[in-house]
């Protein structure tokens, strides 16, 4: 994160600590891909929604475009469906990554996002949010401000 040197030089972790991590490594122990998530009750338009907030989805550059990111997200979907049920998965991503997530079942939203950042609560008009329907459908998702009730992932 070359644009965030100041943030990462002051703390070992910038956002909310994850509850769970999914890792893929090779037979030599080389880390190939990583995803972490935290389950939390958030608020959307005044209603509580149980989510798994996903962060730090990354693939080792030597292994890009070999399906590892898709494999992690497929495994996450199975875990959230069968083992650690939530209403939705939720993540933030750039426009350049939205197509990838859309190909594995995530839906792009253009809603305000409210969360804690560096000790202050901020609201951004378009939070670059994507959700994955798990126990609820995309049609059941509420319009309005998404309040993460804490730090982002």
């Amino acid at each position: 994160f070359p644009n965030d040197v100041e943030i990462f030089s002051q703390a070992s972790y910038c956002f909310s600590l994850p509850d769970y991590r999914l890792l893929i490594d090779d037979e030599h122990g080389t880390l190939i891909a990583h995803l972490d998530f935290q389950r939390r009750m958030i608020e959307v338009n005044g209603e509580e929604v149980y989510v798994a907030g996903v962060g730090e989805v990354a693939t080792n550059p030597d292994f890009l475009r070999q399906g590892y990111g898709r494999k992690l997200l497929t495994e996450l979907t199975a875990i959230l469906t069968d083992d650690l049920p939530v209403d939705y998965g939720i993540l933030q991503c750039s426009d350049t990554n939205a197509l990838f997530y859309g190909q594995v079942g995530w839906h792009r939203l253009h809603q305000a996002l409210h969360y804690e950042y560096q000790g202050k609560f901020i609201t951004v008009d378009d939070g670059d949010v994507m959700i994955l329907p798990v126990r609820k459908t995309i049609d059941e998702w509420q319009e309005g401000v998404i309040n993460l009730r804490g730090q982002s992932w």
Side-chain angles (χ1 to χ4, degrees):
F1 300 96
N3 296 330
D4 298 310
V5 171
E6 181 68 24
I7 293 169
F8 286 105
S9 66
Q10 298 174 15
S12 62
Y13 210 85
C14 183
F15 299 109
S16 184
L17 291 173
D19 294 328
Y20 304 93
R21 295 181 190 278
L22 301 179
L23 305 172
I24 299 174
D25 57 8
D26 67 12
E27 64 275 4
H28 306 292
T30 301
L31 182 61
I32 294 174
H34 170 276
L35 172 153
D36 64 43
F37 66 99
Q38 178 190 72
R39 295 189 305 161
R40 180 189 306 169
M41 190 68 71
I42 67 169
E43 185 178 306
V44 181
N45 198 31
E47 299 207 13
E48 289 190 326
V49 180
Y50 196 37
V51 300
V54 177
E56 309 303 326
V57 179
T59 301
N60 181 322
D62 294 336
F63 297 92
L64 288 174
R65 299 193 187 348
Q66 296 179 39
Y68 292 109
R70 180 180 299 271
K71 183 175 181 178
L72 283 176
L73 291 167
T74 300
E75 180 66 18
L76 174 68
T77 301
I79 289 169
L80 298 181
T81 301
D82 300 331
D83 301 324
L84 301 169
V86 294
D87 298 328
Y88 299 93
I90 186 170
L91 59 79
Q92 291 173 264
C93 72
S94 65
D95 287 337
T96 56
N97 291 325
L99 179 61
F100 166 71
Y101 290 107
Q103 292 172 346
V104 290
W106 293 75
H107 299 264
R108 186 66 181 254
L109 304 175
H110 297 283
Q111 291 176 235
L113 186 66
H114 182 77
Y115 60 96
E116 182 185 351
Y117 182 70
Q118 295 185 338
K120 300 175 190 167
F121 277 90
I122 62 170
T123 303
V124 293
D125 290 332
D126 184 349
D128 295 325
V129 174
M130 296 194 79
I131 63 165
L132 174 72
V134 181
R135 290 191 306 188
K136 293 191 175 183
T137 68
I138 188 68
D139 293 331
E140 293 175 278
W141 181 265
Q142 298 287 316
E143 293 292 324
V145 175
I146 302 167
N147 182 350
L148 297 184
R149 293 182 171 175
Q151 294 178 324
S152 186
W153 297 279

